[in-house]
Amino acid sequence: MATYESNILTVKWLEQETCNVAIKKLTFMAKAFGYSINSPIATSSLSLNDFHQAYTIVADDFFANQVKYSLWSAATSFSQLTLHHDREAMNIPPPDVLGSYLATGNSIELGAGILQMLFFHVENAEYANYSRIGAFIGNGIG
């Protein structure tokens, strides 16, 4: 973000007032990288148990389980309608190779999947890492 800010300041075709607004927008941008802290921890049975506590499974009744899941999922979604919007909450599942910038919320999201080998590696040249990740973020805008 510091590099991006310094690049904004060096652009000659932007007026100073526009640069100031761009830097202000950059400062207030919500950033979510890796995985959501609001989701259960997938490697913790206690966390998963707490998250799914209201969802019970009936042995040998696939249809009943599907109905119960639909009801539980809807209730979970509706319960969040009254909550204040969390700009840092992630909408991207951790293993997905996705990135996006949401202009309406001035937020950027990068799932943990994009921060793995082939797309990102600490030993790659910076331009290779940033160009690969940038391609996914740019694709998520449209």
Side-chain angles (χ1 to χ4, degrees):
M1 291 300 181
T3 302
Y4 195 50
E5 181 178 339
S6 68
N7 286 342
I8 290 172
L9 294 172
T10 62
V11 175
K12 295 184 183 347
W13 52 269
L14 282 178
E15 297 176 356
Q16 186 60 43
E17 183 179 342
T18 307
C19 284
N20 293 340
V21 171
I23 290 171
K24 185 177 179 181
K25 183 175 181 177
L26 182 66
T27 303
F28 289 109
M29 181 183 291
K31 302 159 208 65
F33 302 114
Y35 57 91
S36 177
I37 59 171
N38 299 330
S39 299
I41 302 167
T43 58
S44 167
S45 59
L46 293 175
S47 178
L48 290 169
N49 232 11
D50 287 344
F51 184 76
H52 295 98
Q53 186 174 12
Y55 174 55
T56 56
I57 297 174
V58 178
D60 300 327
D61 194 346
F62 177 78
F63 182 74
N65 289 333
Q66 289 295 104
V67 170
K68 285 185 175 207
Y69 175 78
S70 294
L71 293 171
W72 173 81
S73 181
T76 302
S77 295
F78 285 131
S79 71
Q80 295 174 355
L81 288 176
T82 59
L83 299 177
H84 184 268
H85 177 66
D86 184 3
R87 292 182 64 224
E88 276 81 30
M90 292 214 28
N91 298 311
I92 298 174
D96 287 3
V97 179
L98 292 173
S100 66
Y101 171 73
L102 303 163
T104 55
N106 190 29
S107 64
I108 187 170
E109 294 183 5
L110 288 174
I114 199 172
L115 300 174
Q116 302 301 314
M117 266 303 278
L118 296 181
F119 301 103
F120 180 88
H121 192 273
V122 72
E123 293 178 11
N124 289 350
E126 285 185 353
Y127 67 85
N129 283 332
Y130 295 145
S131 63
R132 289 177 184 135
I133 292 171
F136 281 95
I137 294 170
N139 187 46
I141 293 172

